[in-house]
Amino acid sequence: MHADEPTTAPADTGRYRGDAQPVDHDEVLILDFGSQTAQLIARRVREQNVFCRMVRHDLSVDRIREINPRGLILSGGPASVYAEGAPLPDPELFELGIPVLGICYGMQVICRSLGANVNSADTREFGRSPCRIVDPGGLFAGLPDELIVWMSHGDQVEDPDGMFVSLATTDTCPLAAVRHAERPIYGLQFHPEVTHTDFGGQLLKNFVQDICGCDGTWDISSLIDEQVEKIRTRVGSKRVICGLSGGVDSSVVAALLSRAIGDQLSCIFVNNGLLRSGEASEVEERFTEHFRTDLHVSNAQREFLDELAGVSDPQQKRKIIGRVFIEVFRKEAESIPDAEFLAQGTLYPDVIESGANPDGPAATIKAHHNVGGLPEELGFELIEPLRDLFKDEVRRMGEALGLPEHLVWRHPFPGPGLAVRCLGAVSEDRLITLRAADAIVIEELREAGLYREIQQAFAVLLPVQSVGVMGDDRTYQDTIVVRAVSTDDFMTADWFRLPYEVMERISTRITNGVPGVNRVVYDISSKPPSTIEWE
Ligand code: XMP
């Protein structure tokens, strides 16, 4: 799953009401034809201060009328327009008078639907191409005459009847960008959403602001105000429970609710004994002293460790932790009898991936880890104020709500916590070793100014001893693995090229300062075929 927030992760997908709730600001819809980069389009549009959401490519025209977007973007996709079963939009889309921009496959389906030809190109074009602008206004306003763009296509549009005006060309593609001769319909054969395309953000800005007329005022603080209003109206004088995990998403939800409803909020924090160094005390301090919420801390370390005793199988560990978490949370929630709502930090990628939104694009179900989710039978109404947001937007919201930088930018931490980084059986002693090593890894990365560049880093304790030497004595002690990865979406990842000096400091500090460890190794595996976690 998208990697954060164990306590608020969706435990099952069936419970979403899936309503694309009406929004009070200009909106652009992205019709998803299956491109890997469709989510990236959404992020780039939002960076232009315009709200947008991804919807399924065949969303009915009636539904689109109801949502009343200012513009439509048709994403790329893996198919060829002539392939059997190729996803096609409803041609009535183009009669709505709403500006449309098609990207790559999106451009091809537009052109084909309106009567142009789409042919297999002689050469498949992939990668960076110089692109010459032949019509510098409108979509290309403010851009240089020539740009580097990112192409990835085998088919291209031919338009013998001149239905479309060429806006830009590349060496192999005479219609690299087009505009319909009469209607506000545009197509780009290249991908403006990827960073390899120069001025891609400006291009999208020209479309959503100048062509669609979105006012470009959507931002995190307007979203906070809007959410605060919504929460107040929905909750009235009732009580809301929010599960805190110490991670970013649940902290942002709690901070938002605290702003909206103050002391009608009760937070529950389950200390499962599997947290990183200092994490539990920080959550307590932050949400009692800074946000002054009614915080219920359940110190359930013993329960978790007793149940985990002697268990080495990773999936078994996950199951146990998930079950005990629900038991403990339920008990704690029962001590707050008047609560009617449960606030969760479900994010937009969770909503998309779960396929839970009936308007949403087809589900590309990822392997959900499912740990730390709460079952529906708890009987609360759900409040999910982050449902429309990407992770980086949640972080910006956290900053705007006054959460500290180090919390807002904290690396993801799995629901089963250190249990899946303590290979073999989990015990209190082994957790102490792991926690101390992990704290050194993180401290050194922060010290070297690398923490924000790396998406996830941590220590792993192996169930392997090896021979070492200390003074005149032979030792036979534990091994710590250091893992640091760079990744965009946690589905694939590369090992981070850590400078030798940083590795050296980490290794020296761990072997000198963590009792029982005489060896430190660095993990140089990418995902796939490895995973980020070791279990
Ligand atoms: P893997 O190890 O599958 O991890 O490459 C991808 C991301 O998911 C996180 N992860 C989990 N998160 N419960 C969670 O909430 C889990 O059981 C779990 N297992 C892995 C992992 O930390 C990484 O960010």
Side-chain angles (χ1 to χ4, degrees), residues 54 80 134 193 228 238 277 432 443 457 473 475:
M54 279 165 63
S80 162
V134 292
E193 70 278 19
V228 162
K238 300 193 174 121
S277 175
I432 290 170
E443 258 171 51
D473 293 328
T475 59

Side-chain angles (χ1 to χ4, degrees), residues 56-282:
R56 39 187 308 138
H57 71 270
D58 55 357
L59 192 63
S60 75
V61 169
D62 285 345
R63 180 73 185 122
I64 291 177
R65 274 201 199 93
E66 230 171 85
I67 296 174
N68 194 22
R70 289 265 181 172
L72 300 171
I73 298 179
L74 277 52
S75 84
S80 162
V81 281
Y82 291 112
E84 206 177 311
L88 298 172
D90 184 335
E92 219 191 309
L93 270 190
F94 307 113
E95 310 297 327
L96 293 172
I98 302 174
V100 180
L101 171 68
I103 295 175
C104 198
Y105 179 82
M107 165 177 176
Q108 293 156 13
V109 285
I110 290 175
C111 294
R112 184 180 167 213
S113 301
L114 294 174
N117 301 330
V118 176
N119 295 327
S120 201
D122 296 338
T123 41
R124 194 185 148 77
E125 205 175 1
F126 183 81
R128 291 186 166 86
S129 293
C131 174
R132 284 164 300 282
I133 312 306
V134 292
D135 185 340
L139 202 53
F140 290 93
L143 271 67
D145 301 343
E146 187 162 319
L147 354 150
I148 298 295
V149 299
W150 183 260
M151 290 284 201
S152 169
H153 66 112
D155 291 348
Q156 65 183 37
V157 172
E158 270 176 34
D159 178 30
D161 300 334
M163 203 178 322
F164 292 91
V165 178
S166 171
L167 305 179
T169 61
T170 69
D171 285 345
T172 54
C173 185
L175 297 177
V178 295
R179 166 171 59 82
H180 190 274
E182 284 145 27
R183 304 187 222 168
I185 297 177
Y186 296 78
L188 296 174
Q189 185 57 78
F190 57 87
H191 289 270
E193 70 278 19
V194 304
T195 49
H196 311 295
T197 293
D198 292 344
F199 302 97
Q202 176 72 38
L203 250 168
L204 288 169
K205 182 179 181 184
N206 289 345
F207 178 69
V208 293
Q209 290 196 11
D210 300 346
I211 295 169
C212 301
C214 296
D215 60 12
T217 56
W218 182 79
D219 67 5
I220 288 298
S221 49
S222 56
L223 192 73
I224 291 176
D225 295 344
E226 195 180 295
Q227 282 297 341
V228 162
E229 264 322 296
K230 264 193 190 152
I231 293 167
R232 282 187 187 147
T233 312
R234 178 143 178 239
V235 170
S237 58
K238 300 193 174 121
R239 177 158 294 279
V240 180
I241 291 182
C242 175
L244 277 175
S245 70
V248 187
D249 307 344
S250 66
S251 299
V252 172
V253 171
L256 186 62
L257 278 149
S258 165
R259 179 172 293 189
I261 54 167
D263 57 12
Q264 287 162 251
L265 172 67
S266 295
C267 291
I268 296 181
F269 173 59
V270 175
N271 186 346
N272 58 11
L274 303 166
L275 301 169
R276 289 166 290 190
S277 175
E279 217 161 15
S281 54
E282 196 192 343

